[in-house]
Amino acid sequence: MTRILFINPNTRHLRTLLTVYPPLGILYLSSTLMKAGYEVKVIDADIDNLDLPDIQCAISKYTPDFVGITMNTLQSKAAFETAHYIKKHGDIKVIAGGPHPSALKAEILRRCKSIDVVVYGEGETTFWELIKAIEDERSLDTVEGICFRNDHEIKTNEPRDQIADLDRLPRPALDLVAPIRKYPGPYP
């Protein structure tokens, strides 16, 4: 069974806790992929204050086939460092998504050679199609909503249409980040 690991990167170097809610983007992706039959795990390195060796230890134990890293702009430095560290210690496909990669698709791939693919926009269908294309050894040209390296060229595919009925998505897999009370919510 294909294993997918999602990581919310640790941004404690900013001297503040950025993660105050569960990372809903990757939890929606997780529930969608689990419904499709994939094994999924989530590491919230920010809320659990995990450093890169901690993440690598978890990767060694879980042995994922794919690692997805979410990032907003403030998380980009930590996400790039996490991707570099993962690639330094193994040959795993690293996929980035979230608001920052959605805005700067090709720039993300230019700035971080350790990221293989960027999923932009809503990722629930795109991520699943990307995994299937890689598993089936099909061209990534057919997957809408991604930006990737094709030899030495960076290619951005057509965007995917937005999900018309959000109620068709499974509920976010909150159990993957339990206990939920470790998320403090906004202050005050």
Side-chain angles (χ1 to χ4, degrees), residues 14 43 49 178 188:
L14 298 172
I43 294 175
N49 198 20

Side-chain angles (χ1 to χ4, degrees), residues 9-167:
N10 188 338
T11 56
R12 299 291 179 95
H13 67 278
L14 298 172
R15 295 195 170 95
T16 186
L17 179 63
L18 289 182
T19 301
V20 294
Y21 293 119
L24 287 177
I26 59 179
L27 295 177
Y28 270 109
L29 287 173
S30 298
S31 62
T32 301
L33 291 165
M34 290 187 313
K35 185 178 178 183
Y38 293 99
E39 187 176 326
V40 180
K41 181 176 177 151
V42 174
I43 294 175
D44 192 334
D46 201 26
I47 201 72
D48 293 331
N49 198 20
L50 302 177
D51 60 15
L52 294 174
D54 293 332
I55 292 170
Q56 186 57 44
C57 182
I59 289 171
S60 296
K61 287 179 185 172
Y62 185 61
T63 62
D65 301 291
F66 302 93
V67 172
I69 303 174
T70 187
M71 72 176 97
N72 59 38
T73 301
L74 293 173
Q75 292 173 308
S76 61
K77 178 182 180 220
F80 294 161
E81 289 171 354
T82 301
H84 286 308
Y85 198 84
I86 290 167
K87 285 290 192 177
K88 187 169 87 171
H89 290 89
D91 186 26
I92 299 173
K93 284 274 186 216
V94 176
I95 304 162
H100 194 68
S102 289
L104 301 173
K105 307 163 215 31
E107 180 63 23
I108 297 297
L109 295 177
R110 279 193 282 278
R111 288 191 58 208
C112 185
K113 304 290 185 215
S114 298
I115 294 175
D116 299 299
V117 180
V118 165
V119 170
Y120 68 93
E122 295 173 342
E124 287 78 9
T125 304
T126 303
F127 203 96
W128 175 79
E129 282 187 10
L130 170 63
I131 300 299
K132 286 297 295 170
I134 294 170
E135 287 176 333
D136 297 343
E137 298 180 2
R138 286 185 287 120
S139 170
L140 298 185
D141 291 328
T142 62
V143 181
E144 293 176 336
I146 65 169
C147 183
F148 64 100
R149 282 187 197 82
N150 189 4
D151 294 321
H152 299 292
E153 174 190 9
I154 293 177
K155 183 166 184 180
T156 301
N157 291 356
E158 291 294 317
R160 179 172 302 282
D161 290 337
Q162 290 184 331
I163 298 169
D165 181 11
L166 293 175
D167 289 335

